[in-house]
Coordinates of all heavy atoms in Angstrom, one line a residue:
M1 N 37.4 28.4 110.7 CA 38.0 28.0 109.4 C 39.5 27.9 109.5 O 40.0 27.0 109.0 CB 37.4 28.6 108.3 CG 36.0 28.5 108.1 SD 35.7 27.5 106.6 CE 34.1 27.0 106.7
G2 N 40.1 29.0 109.8 CA 41.5 29.1 109.9 C 42.2 29.7 108.7 O 41.6 30.0 107.7
L3 N 43.6 29.8 108.9 CA 44.4 30.3 107.8 C 44.8 29.3 106.9 O 45.2 28.3 107.3 CB 45.6 31.0 108.5 CG 45.3 32.3 109.5 CD1 46.6 32.6 110.1 CD2 44.6 33.4 108.6
K4 N 44.7 29.7 105.5 CA 45.1 28.9 104.5 C 45.7 29.7 103.4 O 45.8 30.9 103.5 CB 44.0 28.1 104.0 CG 43.4 27.1 105.0 CD 42.4 26.1 104.2 CE 42.0 25.1 105.3 NZ 41.0 24.2 104.8
Q5 N 46.3 28.9 102.4 CA 46.9 29.6 101.1 C 46.1 29.0 99.9 O 45.9 27.7 100.0 CB 48.3 29.3 101.1 CG 49.0 30.0 100.0 CD 50.5 29.6 99.8 OE1 50.9 28.7 99.3 NE2 51.4 30.4 100.6
V6 N 45.9 29.8 98.9 CA 45.4 29.2 97.7 C 46.3 29.8 96.5 O 46.7 30.9 96.5 CB 43.9 29.6 97.4 CG1 43.6 31.0 97.3 CG2 43.2 28.7 96.5
H7 N 46.5 28.9 95.5 CA 47.1 29.2 94.2 C 46.2 29.0 93.1 O 45.7 28.0 92.9 CB 48.4 28.2 94.1 CG 49.3 28.7 93.2 ND1 50.4 27.9 92.7 CD2 49.5 29.8 92.5 CE1 51.1 28.6 91.8 NE2 50.5 29.8 91.6
L8 N 46.0 30.2 92.4 CA 45.0 30.1 91.3 C 45.7 30.5 89.9 O 46.6 31.3 89.8 CB 44.0 31.2 91.4 CG 43.2 31.2 92.8 CD1 42.2 32.4 92.9 CD2 42.5 29.9 93.0
H9 N 45.3 29.6 88.9 CA 45.6 30.0 87.6 C 44.4 30.4 86.8 O 43.5 29.5 86.7 CB 46.4 28.9 86.9 CG 47.7 28.7 87.3 ND1 48.4 27.4 87.1 CD2 48.6 29.4 87.9 CE1 49.5 27.5 87.6 NE2 49.7 28.6 88.1
V10 N 44.2 31.6 86.4 CA 43.0 32.1 85.8 C 43.3 32.2 84.2 O 44.2 32.8 83.8 CB 42.6 33.5 86.2 CG1 41.2 34.0 85.7 CG2 42.5 33.5 87.9
K11 N 42.4 31.6 83.4 CA 42.5 31.5 82.0 C 41.3 32.2 81.3 O 40.2 32.2 81.9 CB 42.7 30.1 81.6 CG 43.9 29.5 82.2 CD 44.2 28.0 81.8 CE 45.4 27.8 82.5 NZ 45.8 26.5 82.8
G12 N 41.6 32.8 80.1 CA 40.7 33.4 79.4 C 41.2 34.8 79.0 O 42.4 35.0 78.8
R13 N 40.3 35.8 78.7 CA 40.7 37.1 78.4 C 40.9 37.8 79.6 O 40.0 38.5 80.2 CB 39.7 37.8 77.5 CG 40.3 39.1 76.9 CD 39.4 39.7 76.0 NE 38.5 40.6 76.9 CZ 37.5 41.2 76.3 NH1 37.0 41.1 75.2 NH2 36.8 41.9 77.1
V14 N 42.1 37.7 80.3 CA 42.3 38.2 81.7 C 43.5 39.2 81.6 O 43.9 39.7 82.7 CB 42.4 37.1 82.6 CG1 41.2 36.4 82.8 CG2 43.6 36.1 82.2
Q15 N 44.2 39.5 80.6 CA 45.2 40.5 80.5 C 44.8 41.8 79.7 O 44.1 41.5 78.8 CB 46.4 39.9 79.9 CG 47.1 38.8 80.7 CD 48.5 38.3 80.3 OE1 49.2 39.0 79.4 NE2 49.0 37.3 80.9
G16 N 45.1 42.8 80.2 CA 44.8 44.1 79.5 C 43.4 44.5 79.9 O 42.8 45.4 79.1
V17 N 42.9 43.9 80.9 CA 41.5 44.3 81.4 C 41.4 44.6 82.8 O 40.4 44.6 83.5 CB 40.5 43.1 81.1 CG1 40.3 42.9 79.6 CG2 40.9 41.8 81.7
Y18 N 42.6 45.1 83.4 CA 42.8 45.5 84.8 C 42.4 44.4 85.8 O 42.0 44.5 86.9 CB 41.8 46.8 85.1 CG 42.2 47.9 84.3 CD1 41.4 48.3 83.2 CD2 43.3 48.7 84.7 CE1 41.8 49.4 82.4 CE2 43.7 49.7 83.8 CZ 42.9 50.1 82.8 OH 43.2 51.1 81.9
F19 N 42.8 43.2 85.4 CA 42.5 42.0 86.3 C 43.4 42.1 87.5 O 43.0 41.8 88.5 CB 42.7 40.6 85.4 CG 42.0 39.5 86.0 CD1 40.8 39.1 85.6 CD2 42.6 38.8 87.1 CE1 40.2 38.0 86.2 CE2 41.8 37.8 87.8 CZ 40.6 37.4 87.3
R20 N 44.7 42.3 87.3 CA 45.6 42.4 88.3 C 45.2 43.5 89.4 O 45.2 43.1 90.6 CB 47.1 42.6 87.9 CG 47.6 41.3 87.2 CD 49.0 41.5 86.6 NE 49.0 42.7 85.8 CZ 50.1 43.4 85.4 NH1 51.4 43.0 86.0 NH2 50.2 44.4 84.6
A21 N 45.0 44.7 88.8 CA 44.6 45.8 89.8 C 43.4 45.5 90.6 O 43.2 45.7 91.7 CB 44.5 47.1 89.0
S22 N 42.4 44.9 89.9 CA 41.1 44.5 90.5 C 41.3 43.5 91.5 O 40.7 43.4 92.6 CB 40.1 44.1 89.4 OG 39.9 45.2 88.5
T23 N 42.2 42.4 91.2 CA 42.5 41.3 92.1 C 43.1 41.9 93.4 O 42.6 41.5 94.5 CB 43.3 40.3 91.4 OG1 42.9 39.9 90.3 CG2 43.8 39.2 92.4
Q24 N 44.0 42.9 93.2 CA 44.8 43.5 94.4 C 43.7 44.1 95.2 O 43.6 44.1 96.5 CB 45.8 44.4 93.9 CG 46.5 45.1 95.1 CD 47.6 46.0 94.6 OE1 47.2 46.8 93.7 NE2 48.7 46.0 95.3
R25 N 42.8 44.9 94.6 CA 41.8 45.6 95.4 C 40.9 44.8 96.1 O 40.5 45.0 97.3 CB 41.0 46.6 94.5 CG 39.9 47.4 95.1 CD 39.3 48.5 94.2 NE 38.8 47.9 93.0 CZ 39.3 48.0 91.8 NH1 40.4 48.9 91.6 NH2 38.7 47.5 90.7
E26 N 40.6 43.6 95.5 CA 39.5 42.7 96.1 C 40.3 41.9 97.3 O 39.7 41.8 98.4 CB 39.1 41.7 95.0 CG 38.0 40.8 95.5 CD 36.6 41.4 95.8 OE1 36.4 42.7 95.4 OE2 35.8 40.8 96.4
A27 N 41.4 41.6 97.1 CA 42.2 40.8 98.2 C 42.5 41.7 99.3 O 42.2 41.3 100.4 CB 43.6 40.4 97.7
K28 N 42.8 43.0 99.0 CA 42.9 43.9 100.2 C 41.6 44.1 100.9 O 41.5 44.2 102.2 CB 43.5 45.3 99.7 CG 44.9 45.2 99.4 CD 45.5 46.5 99.0 CE 47.0 46.5 98.7 NZ 47.6 47.7 98.6
R29 N 40.5 44.2 100.2 CA 39.2 44.3 100.9 C 38.8 43.2 101.8 O 38.1 43.3 102.7 CB 38.1 44.4 99.8 CG 36.7 44.7 100.3 CD 35.7 44.7 99.1 NE 35.4 43.3 98.6 CZ 34.6 42.3 99.3 NH1 34.0 42.7 100.4 NH2 34.5 41.2 98.7
L30 N 39.4 41.9 101.3 CA 39.1 40.8 102.1 C 40.1 40.5 103.1 O 40.1 39.4 103.8 CB 39.0 39.5 101.0 CG 37.8 39.5 100.1 CD1 38.1 38.6 99.0 CD2 36.5 39.3 100.9
G31 N 41.2 41.3 103.3 CA 42.1 41.1 104.4 C 43.2 40.0 104.0 O 43.6 39.4 104.8
L32 N 43.3 39.8 102.6 CA 44.3 38.8 102.3 C 45.6 39.4 101.9 O 45.8 40.5 101.4 CB 43.8 38.0 101.0 CG 42.3 37.4 101.1 CD1 41.8 36.9 99.9 CD2 42.3 36.4 102.4
S33 N 46.7 38.5 101.9 CA 48.0 38.9 101.5 C 48.4 37.9 100.4 O 47.8 36.9 100.2 CB 49.1 38.9 102.6 OG 49.1 37.5 103.1
G34 N 49.5 38.3 99.6 CA 50.0 37.4 98.6 C 50.3 38.4 97.3 O 50.8 39.4 97.4
W35 N 50.2 37.7 96.1 CA 50.5 38.4 94.9 C 49.7 38.0 93.7 O 49.1 36.9 93.7 CB 52.0 38.3 94.6 CG 52.5 36.9 94.6 CD1 53.3 36.4 95.6 CD2 52.5 35.9 93.5 NE1 53.5 35.1 95.3 CE2 53.1 34.7 94.0 CE3 51.8 35.9 92.4 CZ2 53.2 33.6 93.3 CZ3 51.8 34.7 91.7 CH2 52.5 33.6 92.1
V36 N 49.8 38.9 92.7 CA 49.0 38.5 91.4 C 50.0 38.9 90.3 O 50.8 39.9 90.5 CB 47.6 39.1 91.3 CG1 47.8 40.7 91.3 CG2 47.0 38.8 89.9
K37 N 50.0 38.1 89.3 CA 51.0 38.3 88.1 C 50.4 37.8 86.8 O 49.6 36.9 86.8 CB 52.4 37.9 88.3 CG 52.5 36.5 88.3 CD 54.1 36.1 88.5 CE 54.1 34.4 88.4 NZ 55.5 34.1 88.6
N38 N 50.8 38.5 85.6 CA 50.6 37.9 84.3 C 51.4 36.8 84.1 O 52.5 36.8 84.5 CB 50.7 39.0 83.3 CG 49.7 40.0 83.3 OD1 48.5 39.8 83.7 ND2 49.9 41.3 82.7
R39 N 50.8 35.8 83.4 CA 51.6 34.7 83.0 C 51.9 34.8 81.4 O 51.2 35.4 80.7 CB 50.7 33.3 83.2 CG 50.5 33.0 84.7 CD 49.6 31.7 84.9 NE 50.0 30.7 84.1 CZ 50.9 29.7 84.5 NH1 51.5 29.9 85.7 NH2 51.2 28.7 83.7
P40 N 53.1 34.2 81.0 CA 53.4 34.3 79.6 C 52.3 33.6 78.8 O 52.3 33.9 77.6 CB 54.8 33.4 79.6 CG 55.2 33.2 81.0 CD 54.1 33.5 81.8
D41 N 51.5 32.6 79.2 CA 50.6 31.9 78.4 C 49.3 32.8 78.3 O 48.3 32.3 77.7 CB 50.2 30.5 79.0 CG 49.6 30.6 80.4 OD1 49.2 31.7 80.9 OD2 49.4 29.6 80.9
G42 N 49.2 34.1 78.7 CA 48.1 34.9 78.6 C 47.1 34.9 79.7 O 46.2 35.6 79.9
G43 N 47.4 34.0 80.8 CA 46.6 33.8 82.0 C 47.2 34.8 83.1 O 48.0 35.5 82.9
V44 N 46.5 34.7 84.2 CA 46.9 35.5 85.4 C 47.1 34.4 86.5 O 46.3 33.5 86.6 CB 45.8 36.5 85.8 CG1 46.2 37.1 87.2 CG2 45.8 37.6 84.8
E45 N 48.0 34.5 87.4 CA 48.4 33.7 88.4 C 48.3 34.4 89.8 O 48.6 35.5 89.8 CB 49.8 33.2 88.4 CG 50.2 32.2 89.3 CD 51.6 31.7 89.0 OE1 52.2 32.0 88.0 OE2 52.1 30.7 89.9
I46 N 47.6 33.9 90.7 CA 47.3 34.5 92.0 C 47.7 33.5 93.2 O 47.4 32.3 93.0 CB 45.8 34.8 92.2 CG1 45.3 35.7 91.0 CG2 45.5 35.4 93.5 CD1 43.7 35.7 91.1
L47 N 48.4 34.1 94.1 CA 48.8 33.2 95.3 C 48.2 34.2 96.5 O 48.8 35.3 96.7 CB 50.3 33.1 95.5 CG 50.8 32.2 96.6 CD1 50.3 30.8 96.4 CD2 52.1 32.3 96.8
A48 N 47.4 33.7 97.2 CA 46.8 34.4 98.3 C 46.7 33.6 99.6 O 46.5 32.4 99.6 CB 45.4 34.9 97.9
E49 N 46.9 34.3 100.6 CA 46.8 33.8 102.1 C 45.9 34.6 103.0 O 45.7 35.7 102.7 CB 48.2 33.7 102.7 CG 49.2 32.8 102.1 CD 50.5 32.8 103.0 OE1 50.9 33.8 103.6 OE2 51.1 31.7 102.9
G50 N 45.3 33.8 103.9 CA 44.4 34.5 104.7 C 43.4 33.6 105.3 O 43.5 32.3 105.2
E51 N 42.3 34.1 105.8 CA 41.2 33.3 106.4 C 40.5 32.5 105.2 O 40.3 33.2 104.2 CB 40.2 34.1 107.1 CG 40.6 34.7 108.3 CD 40.7 33.7 109.5 OE1 40.1 32.6 109.3 OE2 41.6 33.8 110.4
E52 N 40.2 31.4 105.4 CA 39.5 30.5 104.5 C 38.3 31.2 103.8 O 38.1 31.0 102.6 CB 39.3 29.0 105.0 CG 38.7 28.1 103.9 CD 38.6 26.7 104.4 OE1 38.8 26.4 105.5 OE2 38.0 25.8 103.7
D53 N 37.4 31.8 104.5 CA 36.3 32.3 104.2 C 36.6 33.5 103.1 O 36.1 33.6 102.0 CB 35.3 33.0 105.1 CG 34.6 31.9 106.0 OD1 34.6 30.8 105.5 OD2 34.2 32.2 107.2
G54 N 37.6 34.2 103.3 CA 38.1 35.3 102.5 C 38.7 34.8 101.2 O 38.4 35.3 100.0
L55 N 39.3 33.8 101.3 CA 40.0 33.0 100.1 C 38.8 32.5 99.2 O 38.9 32.6 98.0 CB 40.9 32.0 100.5 CG 42.2 32.4 101.2 CD1 42.9 31.2 101.9 CD2 43.1 33.1 100.3
K56 N 37.8 31.8 99.7 CA 36.7 31.3 99.1 C 36.0 32.6 98.3 O 35.6 32.4 97.1 CB 35.7 30.7 99.9 CG 36.2 29.3 100.3 CD 35.3 28.6 101.3 CE 35.8 27.1 101.5 NZ 34.9 26.5 102.5
E57 N 35.9 33.6 99.0 CA 35.3 34.9 98.3 C 36.1 35.3 97.1 O 35.5 35.7 96.0 CB 35.1 36.1 99.3 CG 33.9 36.0 100.2 CD 33.7 37.2 101.0 OE1 33.5 38.2 100.3 OE2 33.5 37.0 102.1
L58 N 37.5 35.3 97.3 CA 38.4 35.7 96.3 C 38.2 34.8 95.1 O 38.3 35.2 93.9 CB 39.8 35.8 96.8 CG 40.8 36.2 95.6 CD1 40.6 37.7 95.3 CD2 42.3 36.0 96.1
I59 N 38.1 33.4 95.2 CA 38.0 32.5 94.2 C 36.7 32.7 93.4 O 36.7 32.7 92.2 CB 38.0 31.0 94.9 CG1 39.3 30.7 95.3 CG2 37.6 30.0 93.7 CD1 39.4 29.4 96.2
A60 N 35.6 33.0 94.2 CA 34.4 33.3 93.5 C 34.6 34.6 92.7 O 34.0 34.6 91.5 CB 33.3 33.4 94.5
W61 N 35.1 35.6 93.1 CA 35.4 36.7 92.4 C 36.2 36.4 91.1 O 35.8 37.0 90.0 CB 36.0 37.8 93.2 CG 36.3 39.1 92.4 CD1 35.5 40.1 92.3 CD2 37.5 39.3 91.6 NE1 36.1 41.1 91.5 CE2 37.3 40.6 91.1 CE3 38.7 38.6 91.6 CZ2 38.3 41.2 90.3 CZ3 39.7 39.1 90.7 CH2 39.5 40.4 90.1
A62 N 37.2 35.7 91.4 CA 38.2 35.4 90.2 C 37.5 34.7 89.1 O 38.0 34.7 87.9 CB 39.5 34.6 90.7
Q63 N 36.4 33.9 89.3 CA 35.7 33.2 88.3 C 35.0 34.1 87.4 O 34.6 33.6 86.3 CB 34.9 32.1 89.0 CG 35.8 31.0 89.6 CD 35.0 30.0 90.5 OE1 33.8 30.3 91.1 NE2 35.5 28.8 90.6
K64 N 34.8 35.4 87.8 CA 34.1 36.3 87.0 C 35.2 37.5 86.5 O 35.2 37.8 85.3 CB 33.0 37.0 87.8 CG 31.9 36.1 88.0 CD 30.7 36.8 88.8 CE 29.9 35.7 89.4 NZ 29.7 36.1 91.0
G65 N 35.9 37.9 87.5 CA 36.9 39.1 87.2 C 36.2 40.4 87.0 O 35.1 40.5 87.3
P66 N 36.9 41.3 86.6 CA 36.5 42.7 86.5 C 35.6 42.6 85.1 O 35.5 41.7 84.4 CB 37.6 43.6 86.1 CG 38.8 42.5 85.7 CD 38.5 41.3 86.4
T67 N 34.7 43.7 84.8 CA 33.8 43.8 83.9 C 34.3 43.3 82.4 O 33.6 42.4 81.8 CB 33.1 45.1 83.8 OG1 32.7 45.5 85.1 CG2 32.0 45.1 82.8
A68 N 35.5 43.8 82.1 CA 35.9 43.5 80.7 C 36.7 42.1 80.4 O 36.9 41.7 79.4 CB 37.1 44.6 80.4
A69 N 36.8 41.4 81.6 CA 37.4 40.1 81.5 C 36.4 39.1 81.2 O 35.2 39.1 81.3 CB 37.9 39.6 82.9
R70 N 36.9 38.0 80.4 CA 36.2 36.9 80.1 C 36.9 35.7 80.6 O 37.7 35.1 80.0 CB 36.0 36.8 78.6 CG 35.2 37.9 78.0 CD 33.8 37.8 78.4 NE 32.9 38.9 78.0 CZ 32.8 40.1 78.6 NH1 33.3 40.2 80.0 NH2 32.2 41.1 78.2
V71 N 36.5 35.2 81.9 CA 37.1 34.1 82.5 C 36.6 32.8 81.9 O 35.4 32.5 81.8 CB 37.0 34.1 84.0 CG1 37.6 32.9 84.7 CG2 37.6 35.4 84.5
E72 N 37.6 31.9 81.4 CA 37.1 30.6 80.9 C 37.4 29.6 82.0 O 36.5 28.5 82.0 CB 38.0 30.3 79.6 CG 37.8 31.2 78.5 CD 38.7 31.1 77.3 OE1 39.6 30.0 77.4 OE2 38.6 31.8 76.4
R73 N 38.3 29.6 82.7 CA 38.7 28.6 83.7 C 39.6 29.2 84.8 O 40.5 30.0 84.6 CB 39.4 27.4 83.0 CG 39.5 26.1 83.9 CD 39.9 25.0 83.1 NE 41.3 24.9 83.2 CZ 42.2 24.6 82.3 NH1 41.7 24.5 81.0 NH2 43.5 24.5 82.5
V74 N 39.4 28.6 86.0 CA 40.2 28.8 87.2 C 40.7 27.5 87.8 O 39.9 26.8 88.2 CB 39.5 29.7 88.2 CG1 40.3 29.9 89.5 CG2 38.9 31.0 87.6
D75 N 41.9 27.3 87.8 CA 42.5 26.1 88.3 C 43.0 26.5 89.8 O 43.5 27.5 90.1 CB 43.8 25.6 87.6 CG 43.5 25.1 86.1 OD1 42.3 24.7 85.9 OD2 44.3 25.3 85.3
I76 N 42.5 25.7 90.7 CA 42.5 26.1 92.2 C 43.3 24.9 92.9 O 43.1 23.7 92.8 CB 41.2 26.2 92.8 CG1 40.3 27.2 92.1 CG2 41.3 26.4 94.3 CD1 38.8 26.8 92.5
R77 N 44.4 25.4 93.6 CA 45.2 24.5 94.5 C 45.3 25.1 95.9 O 45.8 26.1 96.0 CB 46.6 24.3 93.9 CG 46.5 23.6 92.6 CD 47.9 23.3 92.0 NE 48.7 22.4 93.0 CZ 50.0 22.0 92.8 NH1 50.7 22.6 92.0 NH2 50.6 21.2 93.7
W78 N 44.7 24.4 96.9 CA 44.8 24.8 98.2 C 46.2 24.2 98.8 O 46.6 23.2 98.6 CB 43.7 24.2 99.0 CG 42.3 24.7 98.6 CD1 41.3 24.4 97.8 CD2 41.9 25.9 99.3 NE1 40.2 25.2 97.8 CE2 40.6 26.2 98.7 CE3 42.3 26.9 100.2 CZ2 39.9 27.3 99.1 CZ3 41.6 27.9 100.6 CH2 40.3 28.2 100.0
R79 N 46.6 25.1 99.8 CA 48.0 24.7 100.4 C 47.8 25.2 101.9 O 47.0 25.9 102.3 CB 49.1 25.5 99.7 CG 49.2 25.2 98.2 CD 50.4 25.9 97.6 NE 50.8 25.5 96.3 CZ 51.6 26.1 95.5 NH1 52.2 27.2 95.9 NH2 52.0 25.6 94.4
G80 N 48.9 24.8 102.6 CA 48.9 25.3 104.0 C 49.5 26.8 104.1 O 50.2 27.1 103.2
F81 N 49.0 27.4 105.1 CA 49.4 28.8 105.3 C 50.9 28.9 105.6 O 51.4 28.1 106.3 CB 48.6 29.3 106.5 CG 48.9 30.8 106.8 CD1 48.3 31.8 106.1 CD2 49.8 31.1 107.9 CE1 48.6 33.0 106.4 CE2 50.0 32.4 108.2 CZ 49.5 33.4 107.4
Q82 N 51.6 29.8 104.9 CA 52.9 30.1 105.1 C 53.2 31.4 105.8 O 54.3 31.4 106.6 CB 53.7 30.1 103.8 CG 53.5 28.8 102.9 CD 54.2 27.6 103.5 OE1 55.4 27.7 104.0 NE2 53.5 26.5 103.6
G83 N 52.4 32.4 105.7 CA 52.8 33.6 106.4 C 54.0 34.5 105.8 O 54.6 35.3 106.4
D84 N 54.1 34.2 104.5 CA 55.3 34.9 104.0 C 55.1 36.3 103.3 O 56.0 37.0 103.0 CB 55.7 34.0 102.7 CG 56.4 32.7 103.1 OD1 56.8 32.4 104.2 OD2 56.3 31.7 102.4
F85 N 53.9 36.8 103.3 CA 53.5 38.0 102.7 C 53.0 39.0 103.6 O 52.0 38.8 104.3 CB 52.5 37.8 101.4 CG 53.0 36.6 100.7 CD1 52.4 35.4 100.7 CD2 53.9 36.7 99.7 CE1 52.7 34.3 100.0 CE2 54.4 35.7 99.0 CZ 53.7 34.4 98.9
P86 N 53.6 40.3 103.5 CA 53.0 41.3 104.5 C 51.8 41.9 103.9 O 51.0 42.6 104.6 CB 54.2 42.3 104.6 CG 55.0 42.1 103.3 CD 54.8 40.7 102.9
D87 N 51.6 42.0 102.6 CA 50.5 42.6 102.0 C 50.1 42.0 100.7 O 50.7 40.8 100.5 CB 50.8 44.1 101.7 CG 52.0 44.4 101.0 OD1 52.5 43.3 100.3 OD2 52.5 45.4 100.9
F88 N 49.3 42.5 99.7 CA 49.0 42.0 98.6 C 49.5 42.8 97.3 O 49.3 44.0 97.3 CB 47.5 41.7 98.4 CG 47.1 40.7 97.3 CD1 46.9 39.5 97.6 CD2 47.1 41.2 96.0 CE1 46.6 38.6 96.6 CE2 46.8 40.3 95.0 CZ 46.5 38.9 95.3
R89 N 50.5 42.2 96.6 CA 51.1 43.1 95.6 C 50.8 42.5 94.1 O 50.6 41.4 93.9 CB 52.6 43.0 95.9 CG 53.0 43.5 97.2 CD 54.5 43.5 97.5 NE 54.7 44.0 98.7 CZ 55.8 44.5 99.1 NH1 56.9 44.6 98.3 NH2 56.0 44.9 100.3
I90 N 51.0 43.4 93.2 CA 51.1 43.1 91.9 C 52.6 42.9 91.4 O 53.4 43.7 91.7 CB 50.4 44.2 90.8 CG1 49.0 44.4 91.3 CG2 50.7 43.9 89.4 CD1 48.3 45.6 90.6
I91 N 52.9 41.8 90.8 CA 54.2 41.3 90.4 C 54.3 41.7 88.8 O 53.4 41.1 88.2 CB 54.5 39.9 90.8 CG1 54.6 39.8 92.2 CG2 56.0 39.6 90.1 CD1 54.9 38.4 92.6
E92 N 55.2 42.4 88.4 CA 55.4 42.7 87.0 C 56.0 41.6 86.3 O 56.7 40.9 86.7 CB 56.2 43.9 86.8 CG 55.5 45.1 87.5 CD 54.1 45.5 86.9 OE1 53.9 45.3 85.7 OE2 53.4 46.0 87.6

């Protein structure tokens, strides 16, 4: 499948429910790198890189999120792999 990058905007009740920490844990489990951060509009933004299969698993997970989250929509944009991230971080 190969290395790719995906940019996600997650909308719904996704702040204050450990979404970022849960995303980081899931991304690390899948061997992905990148970052996750809260957006001013109340959503969460994710930029992840790695094997396409792992990215697809992260997308499927993001469509549900952690137990307390209520995901309404996930906007997905695929991009070419850049290799810019040594690990997966939470950006404040």
